[in-house]
Amino acid sequence: QVELVESGGGLVQAGGSLRLSCLASGSIFRFNAMGWYRQVPGKQRDLVATITSGGRTNYAVSVKGRFTISRDNAKNTVYLQMNSLRPEDTAVYYCNTVLITTATIPTGQWGKGTLVTVSS
């Protein structure tokens, strides 16, 4: 069982940057595809970015060119570098293991997430 702990959120001005981290427990980490999601209260949780065990990445159109997902298997950590932030990026951000087929499906237990607030 993998435990996931997100960190790095905070308050930032529009146009600024934040780097989120997701620390995963367990030696199985390096074999899992990982994803970042975000959720506004009362709204659906949306997929932001994914990275496979081999390092292949995909992004939601809304963040493409601004966000970068990466991983450091030696540290059991996946990152989300967020640049050129907009108020619309405000949300609670979550990471999870994912299964990628015809769609991307979260497979693990949701953590508490980390709150990102972008002010104008």
Side-chain angles (χ1 to χ4, degrees):
Q1 187 80 271
V2 177
E3 289 188 345
L4 304 166
V5 180
E6 302 93 343
S7 63
L11 175 64
V12 65
Q13 298 286 331
S17 297
L18 283 174
R19 181 180 171 91
L20 306 184
S21 298
C22 172
L23 178 63
S25 65
S27 60
I28 197 66
F29 171 78
R30 71 179 188 271
F31 300 116
N32 286 107
M34 301 292 297
W36 281 99
Y37 294 76
R38 65 187 182 186
Q39 186 175 37
V40 176
K43 305 295 184 181
Q44 187 178 34
R45 196 177 336 229
D46 293 325
L47 182 65
V48 174
T50 60
I51 184 166
T52 68
S53 60
R56 188 166 65 182
T57 60
N58 275 295
Y59 300 92
V61 171
S62 58
V63 308
K64 195 172 297 182
R66 301 188 297 121
F67 291 11
T68 303
I69 188 172
S70 61
R71 66 194 297 159
D72 186 339
N73 290 338
K75 296 181 178 179
N76 287 350
T77 302
V78 61
Y79 304 97
L80 187 68
Q81 178 67 47
M82 306 184 296
N83 299 325
S84 301
L85 283 162
R86 305 165 180 169
E88 311 94 87
D89 295 318
T90 295
V92 177
Y93 284 71
Y94 302 86
C95 64
N96 212 331
T97 51
V98 296
L99 176 65
I100 303 170
T101 57
T102 56
T104 300
I105 308 298
T107 60
Q109 196 97 44
W110 294 109
K112 293 181 173 61
T114 186
L115 175 63
V116 172
T117 304
V118 184
S119 65
S120 59

